[in-house]
């Protein structure tokens, strides 16, 4: 193959193209070999037009001959040369001002290109231009779509001062616009989804409830409406945000996000099952990449729930499933790599592999620029250093960066409450009990204000432990009993284990032998369940993922034609 590089440029290209076509038209088709030949073209650093054409051919082959629709889409998008597309779109936007539908469509398309390149400022500017144009041509519906899209990007950029007045304006437009009922309700869903995710990003689990309830009622209304095929009189209104079925999955998804943050883990499981079932049905007929994004986000949340409820083996298998989905789409992997390593870090903590947990969190920090995720990772990494007990310099450096008393890096109520808990945990291990109580009472105050049940349970049991160590058995009991009740309701297996151990010791110290025996039995049952799950998880081949910190995840995929193969072998 290298010898071919010394020949005229066209000869190696034609040879590889000929081999690829031969394998494609073989009976049966040898698709893996065809893909090998086409991908070999990139090794010769061909001219831009040849590279684009090869991406187009690869996308076509993968789309028609394998189940790997995400990778096919990636190649097809690369075939559409972004740098050359942008000036063409700008020219088309200039000359299309007399045709509202095309002018708006081109503005959306150019804004999407800028968004894909992470140039959100340019994308927001274009969406603002589109909103003003839609207003001028009398399309309040499409004006709302442009403004809501801009609001979504501003939320991504955390420009909250700009988001609030924009969402207020959007709410007024949505309520006053009279038109197609499905379009009106879809605008309302878009508006409410932005409001709900904004609350959840801020960790305001209780405050979000009225908006979430409105959103759930809204999706029920949409599901009863029939699609009206009457075309709108204004051509600028010929847009639709999402199909009804996609909106339904999205509402399930934000409900799962809320349930997980609030500590209603059985409810999170119920809605995850519903959403995944709906997704499987949709993916049989629809290869839209947004469905894979929904699936990955759902799995990320349910994995965290499984780790809390003591189902580590299932969580690990679902982490592997996320790896597989990300392998099929480089863009999906790029967007979720940090979350994937964070999940592996949480899994490592649950099976007491602290060195691996540190490596996973460190990798995740390197891969993310998302401030809330960064803070979440740092908080969990600090808990690893506290458990190890000998990483004082690294620990204090981390704690300075997430100091809840001053200059906390994000506005999230939930993350700030968690930072107080981490401070309390450290003070407890250092024997500074009064200081620990101050931090933990702050956590309790914040978690009670927003119904953060898991943080409440963790704070109560740790306070109970402190009072037990101080010999104040009555106050300890007042903390541990509600901690156990709340942990059972969540259910949080680790807090149940911890609470039952404390209840056993408390009752023994107070001479309540029957209660002590009952608590000891509970503790043994929880220990056995956790031990069995621990052994099951560590015995799985997927457990090797804890050592993965570089490059794409080492996961097997199944092509439609040919044997099971890793994606790496196709590259």
């Amino acid at each position: 193959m290298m010898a071919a590089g010394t020949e005229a440029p066209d000869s190696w290209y034609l040879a590889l193209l000929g081999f690829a076509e031969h394998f494609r038209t073989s009976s049966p088709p040898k698709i893996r070999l065809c893909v090998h030949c086409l991908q070999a073209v990139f090794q010769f650093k061909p001219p831009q037009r040849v590279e684009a054409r090869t991406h187009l051919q690869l996308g076509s082959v993968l789309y028609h001959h394998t189940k790997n629709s995400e990778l096919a889409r990636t190649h097809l998008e690369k075939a559409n040369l972004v740098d050359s597309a942008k000036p063409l779109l700008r020219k088309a936007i200039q000359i299309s001002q007399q045709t509202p539908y095309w002018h708006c469509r081109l503005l959306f398309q150019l804004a999407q290109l800028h968004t894909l390149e992470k140039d959100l400022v340019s994308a927001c500017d274009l969406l603002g231009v589109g909103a003003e144009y839609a207003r001028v041509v009398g399309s309040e519906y499409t004006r709302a779509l442009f403004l809501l899209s801009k609001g979504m990007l501003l939320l991504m950029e955390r420009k909250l001062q700009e988001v609030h007045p924009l969402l207020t304006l959007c709410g007024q437009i949505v309520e006053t616009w009279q038109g197609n009922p499905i379009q009106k309700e879809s605008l309302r869903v878009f508006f409410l989804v932005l409001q709900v995710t904004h609350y959840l990003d801020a960790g305001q689990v209780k405050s979000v409830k009225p908006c979430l309830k409105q959103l759930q009622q809204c999706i029920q209304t949409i599901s009863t409406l029939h699609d009206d095929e009457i075309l709108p009189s204004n051509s600028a209104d010929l847009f639709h945000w999402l199909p009804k079925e996609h909106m339904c999955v999205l509402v399930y998804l934000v409900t799962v996000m809320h349930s997980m943050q609030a500590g209603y883990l059985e409810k999170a499981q119920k809605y995850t099952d519903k959403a995944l079932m709906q997704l499987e049905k949709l993916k049989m007929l629809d290869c839209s990449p947004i469905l894979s994004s929904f699936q990955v986000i759902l799995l990320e949340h349910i994995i965290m729930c499984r780790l809390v409820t003591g189902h580590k083996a299932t969580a690990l298998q679902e982490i592997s499933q996320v790896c597989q989905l990300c392998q099929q789409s480089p863009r999906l992997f790029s967007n979720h790599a940090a979350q994937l390593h964070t999940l592996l870090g949480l899994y490592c903590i649950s099976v007491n592999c602290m060195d691996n947990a540190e490596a996973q969190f460190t990798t995740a920090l390197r891969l993310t620029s998302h401030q809330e995720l960064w803070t979440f990772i740092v908080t969990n990494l600090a808990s690893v250093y506290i458990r190890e007990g000998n990483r004082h310099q690294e620990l204090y450096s981390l704690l300075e960066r997430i100091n809840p008393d001053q200059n906390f890096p994000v506005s999230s109520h939930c993350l700030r409450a968690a930072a107080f808990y981490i401070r309390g945990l450290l003070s407890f291990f250092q024997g500074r009990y009064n200081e620990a109580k101050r931090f933990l009472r702050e956590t309790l105050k914040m978690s009670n204000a927003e119904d953060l049940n898991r943080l409440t349970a963790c704070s109560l049991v740790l306070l109970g432990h402190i009072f037990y160590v101080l010999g104040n058995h009555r106050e300890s009991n007042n903390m541990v009993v509600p901690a156990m009740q709340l942990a059972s309701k969540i259910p949080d297996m680790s807090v149940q284990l911890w609470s039952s151990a404390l209840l056993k010791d408390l009752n023994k110290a107070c001479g309540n032998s029957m209660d002590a025996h009952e608590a000891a039995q509970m503790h043994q049952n929880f220990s056995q369940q956790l031990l069995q799950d621990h052994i099951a998880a560590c015995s799985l081949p997927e457990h090797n993922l804890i050592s993965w910190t570089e490059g794409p995840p080492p996961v097997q995929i199944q092509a439609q034609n040919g044997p099971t193969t890793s994606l790496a072998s196709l590259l």
Side-chain angles (χ1 to χ4, degrees), residues 253 256-257 260 296-305:
L253 173 56
V256 168
M257 291 165 69
M260 191 212 72
V296 166
I297 298 168
L298 276 164
L299 287 168
E300 286 171 353
H301 282 80
I302 202 60
I303 287 161
M304 287 188 277
C305 292

Side-chain angles (χ1 to χ4, degrees), residues 156 158 201 368-375:
M156 289 166 63
R158 299 294 180 266
D201 273 351
T368 190
S369 57
H370 187 281
Q371 200 66 32
E372 275 78 6
L373 180 58
W374 181 90
T375 306

Side-chain angles (χ1 to χ4, degrees), residues 268-281:
Q269 175 66 63
K270 175 181 143 186
Y271 280 101
T272 298
D273 291 343
K274 284 186 175 184
L276 291 175
M277 196 181 302
Q278 181 87 349
L279 276 170
E280 286 305 313
K281 290 177 186 174

Side-chain angles (χ1 to χ4, degrees), residues 102-118:
W102 283 106
H103 191 66
C104 291
R105 181 170 175 173
L106 291 164
L107 282 166
F108 274 127
Q109 196 168 353
L110 185 53
Q112 185 177 22
L113 281 183
H114 283 299
T115 303
L116 291 174
E117 292 185 319
K118 309 275 194 255

Side-chain angles (χ1 to χ4, degrees), residues 278-298:
Q278 181 87 349
L279 276 170
E280 286 305 313
K281 290 177 186 174
L282 290 172
K283 288 180 86 171
M284 290 177 190
L285 305 168
D286 184 350
C287 61
S288 172
I290 198 171
L291 296 180
S292 294
S293 295
F294 287 164
Q295 189 175 0
V296 166
I297 298 168
L298 276 164

Side-chain angles (χ1 to χ4, degrees), residues 31-44 54-55 58-59 62 68 70-72 74-75 78 326-331 333 551-555 557 565-571:
I31 297 303
R32 190 162 65 90
L33 294 173
C34 171
V35 169
H36 271 308
C37 291
L38 289 172
Q39 290 180 324
V41 170
F42 301 129
Q43 303 301 317
F44 292 89
T54 307
H55 278 301
L58 269 168
L62 288 165
N68 204 339
E70 288 288 330
L71 186 57
T74 301
H75 281 294
K78 285 181 179 177
C326 288
Q327 274 281 24
Q328 295 171 29
S329 167
R331 181 181 299 158
F333 177 58
V555 176
I557 62 168
T565 178
S566 71
L567 189 61
S569 70
L570 292 177
L571 298 172

Side-chain angles (χ1 to χ4, degrees), residues 341-349 351-364 381 384 388 391 543-549:
H341 285 288
T342 303
L343 291 171
L344 281 167
L346 295 173
Y347 167 76
C348 290
I349 290 177
V351 291
N352 206 33
C353 296
M354 293 301 166
D355 287 346
N356 295 99
E358 181 184 354
Q360 292 296 337
F361 289 139
T362 304
T363 301
L381 182 56
V384 171
E388 289 183 322
R391 305 294 296 278
H543 183 74
N544 292 325
L545 282 169
I546 68 171
S547 302
W548 161 62
T549 55

Side-chain angles (χ1 to χ4, degrees), residues 142-386:
T142 301
R143 180 189 178 202
L145 276 182
F146 274 115
L147 289 173
L148 287 165
S149 300
K150 182 178 179 180
M152 181 172 66
L153 297 187
L154 290 172
L155 281 173
M156 289 166 63
E157 285 194 286
R158 299 294 180 266
K159 292 186 175 177
L160 302 184
Q161 288 186 331
E162 294 179 51
V163 168
H164 294 144
L166 188 143
L167 285 183
T168 301
L169 174 60
C170 287
Q172 293 166 355
I173 295 170
V174 171
E175 289 309 312
T176 56
W177 184 71
Q178 300 299 318
N180 182 307
I182 286 186
Q183 285 185 311
K184 184 177 177 73
E185 290 303 313
S186 71
L187 282 180
R188 189 176 279 130
V189 169
F190 195 170
F191 170 69
L192 288 168
V193 163
L194 292 185
Q195 282 203 313
V196 169
T197 51
H198 178 35
Y199 275 117
L200 292 179
D201 273 351
Q204 295 175 317
V205 172
K206 186 176 182 179
S207 305
V208 78
K209 285 182 179 179
C211 280
L212 183 60
K213 189 173 182 180
Q214 283 183 58
L215 178 58
Q216 290 163 342
Q217 290 169 342
C218 194
I219 202 68
Q220 286 178 340
T221 302
I222 283 187
S223 63
T224 64
L225 296 173
H226 296 289
D227 289 321
D228 190 351
E229 294 183 5
I230 300 171
L231 292 176
S233 55
N234 190 334
S235 65
D237 287 347
L238 287 167
F239 294 96
H240 201 61
W241 176 49
L242 280 178
K244 282 196 297 186
E245 297 79 10
H246 291 198
M247 282 190 268
C248 183
V249 173
L250 181 56
V251 173
Y252 282 144
L253 173 56
V254 294
T255 303
V256 168
M257 291 165 69
H258 173 262
S259 299
M260 191 212 72
Q261 276 199 36
Y264 306 132
L265 302 193
E266 288 179 348
K267 185 178 178 183
Q269 175 66 63
K270 175 181 143 186
Y271 280 101
T272 298
D273 291 343
K274 284 186 175 184
L276 291 175
M277 196 181 302
Q278 181 87 349
L279 276 170
E280 286 305 313
K281 290 177 186 174
L282 290 172
K283 288 180 86 171
M284 290 177 190
L285 305 168
D286 184 350
C287 61
S288 172
I290 198 171
L291 296 180
S292 294
S293 295
F294 287 164
Q295 189 175 0
V296 166
I297 298 168
L298 276 164
L299 287 168
E300 286 171 353
H301 282 80
I302 202 60
I303 287 161
M304 287 188 277
C305 292
R306 306 258 197 232
L307 293 173
V308 172
T309 58
H311 297 93
K312 296 184 280 288
T314 306
L316 183 57
Q317 289 169 323
E318 286 167 338
I319 290 173
S320 178
Q321 192 180 343
V322 173
C323 288
Q324 185 169 333
L325 286 164
C326 288
Q327 274 281 24
Q328 295 171 29
S329 167
R331 181 181 299 158
L332 203 58
F333 177 58
S334 172
N335 290 338
H336 291 270
Q339 291 91 319
L340 200 42
H341 285 288
T342 303
L343 291 171
L344 281 167
L346 295 173
Y347 167 76
C348 290
I349 290 177
S350 76
V351 291
N352 206 33
C353 296
M354 293 301 166
D355 287 346
N356 295 99
E358 181 184 354
Q360 292 296 337
F361 289 139
T362 304
T363 301
L365 286 173
R366 191 180 74 240
L367 294 171
T368 190
S369 57
H370 187 281
Q371 200 66 32
E372 275 78 6
L373 180 58
W374 181 90
T375 306
F376 179 79
I377 297 164
V378 168
T379 304
N380 281 283
L381 182 56
S383 78
V384 171
Y385 289 154
I386 290 170

